[in-house]
Amino acid sequence: MAQHQIKFGTSGLRGPAEGFTPELTAAYVEAFLDTAAAGARARQLAIGMDRRASSPAIAAAVAAAARGAGWEPLFCGALPTPALAGFAMARAIPAIMVTGSHIPADQNGLKFYRPDGELRKSDEQPILDAVAGRPSATPAGFALPEPDPAARLAYRQRLLSAFAPGALEGLRLGVYAHSAVGWRDMEELLSALGASCTVLEPSADFIAVDTEAVDPAALARLRALGREHGFDAIVSTDGDGDRPLLLDAEGVQVNGDVLGALAALALGADSVVTPLTSTSAIEASGWFAHLARTRIGSPFVIEAMETAPGTAIVGFEANGGFLVQTTLDNGGRPISPLPTRDALLPLITVLAEARREGVAVRALADRLPPRAMLADRLPQVAPDRGHGLVAELARSDAARRALDPHLAHPAAIDTTDGTRMVRADGVIVHVRQSGNAPELRCYVEAPSPEAARAVLEAMMARLAARLGG
């Protein structure tokens, strides 16, 4: 039953970990290599994984399937997704990352990379068709070898070379480790650039950290630790290292879209691509010559970056994952393209900018016009129920009124991805079913954090009552 819940979401294949049987995994791997790996410079497949308990067995199944299909598996070990992606793209070979990203520990997934970068939405149906027409077979077993460190080392070097020595000199940083696959890389990089780092709460058990909806109890603990140690900031990522988390000196989160905008400005971007869920303060800032909005998901951001005008083109998502389309010039230090989500580049960029200017991280964030974006999620919402509610909100005044009387007759409705409603007072409420997990997401944007929190709490209570009824 679980294997039938394995589906493509906004970014990759996701589902219950138990559904990734050797047979099903082999079918998807072979279908991917047959349909989306054209142009590979060599018949090699780079393989990485996060720290979920289920990931090693799935990675071994991926490697076995690759070898059975006549490809050489290159096991890169447990490492951040952008490290694997950069390694594979530099060699023009395909890659598969075994990760469920930020979703619960009992879930997992496969993120596919073509030789030229992330899998596109147009690649998904050919893979599904090939899987459906493939006879079931059990691949031969494969014992994972010691990982090749080349991908991790190249990722580290790309970031180190992008910043001057001592770029973070004097900063006191907390590194919230949890079970993030790249927390050691993060601590080593920040230390190499001059920061004094304290590792916080490393865990051998997988902890699902969603940078757009961080557990309030975890935030409270981190704030207390920040006060105790006098940190200038606390940094972290999600499970596979492609979504950043930044708390300022007061323990207040700098939202991912704000982090992305600050990083883009500091890196001299003239063209920015970001999804609908990123703050409207980006337009109001006037910082960028070109700004494009997309659906949620890195494949949509990447497609728009490829046709964006400008010479310094970047993208970022509301979760903070930062993508680089063109070579950037960071004060005479080139940053090579990496058109997939990365957590460390925006974190280091904003911390370095704050240190260079001699100001707190919050002072940088406050340069954007005052708009606050908050998000939360209802777990265990079946896709059909979630999509049904989202569609009803788009078409029914009564359904919107039940959610919020101010939404009965909104100033605008956008159904590009979910239902995004703008109240007459400018408050934005955006409801969508997640493409990665069985959960309903709600995003609220308001003039202040307090107003956003009040609206979000009301929305979540009413959505929960509606879906529980």
Side-chain angles (χ1 to χ4, degrees):
M1 179 66 178
Q3 71 183 41
H4 299 300
Q5 299 174 34
I6 306 297
K7 297 179 179 179
F8 278 107
T10 53
S11 183
L13 201 66
R14 299 285 168 83
E18 63 185 20
F20 286 93
T21 62
E23 295 80 10
L24 190 74
T25 300
Y28 274 103
V29 170
E30 292 169 9
F32 162 66
L33 292 174
D34 286 348
T35 63
R41 198 174 291 162
R43 287 180 68 83
Q44 296 175 320
L45 175 68
I47 302 168
M49 64 182 187
D50 65 17
R51 297 193 184 278
R52 293 165 192 266
S54 59
S55 291
I58 299 173
V62 170
R67 175 160 289 179
W71 291 69
E72 177 189 359
L74 302 179
F75 181 57
C76 299
L79 79 171
T81 294
L84 181 75
F87 174 81
M89 282 186 262
R91 287 155 181 76
I93 61 173
I96 295 178
M97 180 72 181
V98 179
T99 180
S101 186
H102 62 285
I103 60 179
D106 62 349
Q107 307 282 301
N108 215 320
L110 301 177
K111 188 168 185 182
F112 301 98
Y113 284 86
R114 308 183 319 191
D116 61 345
E118 276 197 32
L119 195 75
R120 305 305 170 86
K121 285 297 175 182
S122 58
D123 295 318
E124 292 177 4
Q125 192 58 51
I127 292 174
L128 292 171
D129 292 342
V131 168
R134 193 172 297 274
S136 178
T138 302
F142 185 87
L144 290 173
E146 285 297 310
D148 185 334
R152 287 181 63 249
L153 293 175
Y155 177 64
R156 173 190 171 108
Q157 186 56 39
R158 174 178 179 267
L159 291 166
L160 276 177
S161 66
F163 298 92
L168 303 181
E169 190 72 41
L171 293 184
R172 293 173 52 82
L173 303 177
V175 176
Y176 175 38
H178 61 94
S179 54
V181 72
W183 72 260
R184 287 186 177 86
D185 301 282
M186 179 164 53
E187 189 272 336
E188 291 173 3
L189 277 163
L190 297 174
S191 297
L193 290 170
S196 173
C197 295
T198 301
V199 175
L200 307 173
E201 300 188 358
S203 174
D205 297 323
F206 188 82
I207 299 171
V209 171
D210 183 347
T211 61
E212 291 182 275
V214 183
D215 175 49
L219 283 177
R221 292 196 311 274
L222 293 174
R223 289 190 186 107
L225 288 167
R227 290 192 295 270
E228 177 185 341
H229 291 277
F231 293 136
D232 295 296
I234 294 176
V235 296
S236 188
T237 74
D238 65 340
D240 70 318
D242 67 354
R243 302 177 182 215
L245 176 63
L246 176 62
L247 306 183
D248 68 13
E250 303 303 317
V252 178
Q253 183 176 358
V254 178
N255 283 359
D257 49 0
V258 173
L259 181 67
L262 293 174
L265 179 67
L267 294 172
D270 58 9
S271 191
V272 163
V273 178
T274 194
L276 284 172
T277 45
S278 293
T279 175
S280 63
I282 302 168
E283 281 93 343
S285 71
W287 287 351
F288 309 108
H290 309 283
L291 176 63
R293 294 281 185 165
T294 72
R295 293 179 61 187
I296 291 86
S298 55
F300 300 110
V301 174
I302 292 167
E303 288 177 2
M305 287 197 305
E306 290 176 339
T307 58
T311 58
I313 304 169
V314 304
F316 55 85
E317 297 192 87
N319 56 46
F322 199 83
L323 307 90
V324 178
Q325 180 66 22
T326 58
T327 298
L328 304 177
D329 181 359
N330 187 24
R333 292 176 173 269
I335 301 176
S336 59
L338 183 58
T340 196
R341 284 193 305 257
D342 179 33
L344 295 193
L345 179 60
L347 284 172
I348 297 172
T349 298
V350 171
L351 291 171
E353 185 69 5
R355 188 260 181 192
R356 186 185 69 80
E357 293 195 23
V359 300
V361 168
R362 178 52 49 185
L364 294 182
D366 286 345
R367 292 174 183 174
L368 275 169
R371 297 292 288 176
M373 174 80 80
L374 294 175
D376 205 346
R377 59 185 177 175
L378 287 178
Q380 304 306 317
V381 176
D384 57 342
R385 295 194 70 203
H387 287 302
L389 175 58
V390 169
E392 188 177 4
L393 290 172
R395 67 174 182 265
S396 169
D397 293 351
R400 292 192 297 272
R401 184 180 292 108
L403 190 63
D404 178 353
H406 295 90
L407 291 173
H409 303 290
I413 295 178
D414 189 322
T415 58
T416 300
D417 196 337
T419 297
R420 184 177 185 267
M421 301 158 284
V422 182
R423 300 192 330 190
D425 61 0
V427 170
I428 298 170
V429 177
H430 185 180
V431 181
R432 62 181 285 270
Q433 181 70 15
S434 172
N436 284 334
E439 59 191 31
L440 189 78
R441 289 183 173 267
C442 182
Y443 310 81
V444 169
E445 183 180 327
S448 70
E450 295 76 18
R453 174 62 61 191
V455 174
L456 181 63
E457 288 177 353
M459 293 300 102
M460 295 305 295
R462 291 167 190 163
L463 287 168
R466 171 64 185 275
L467 289 170

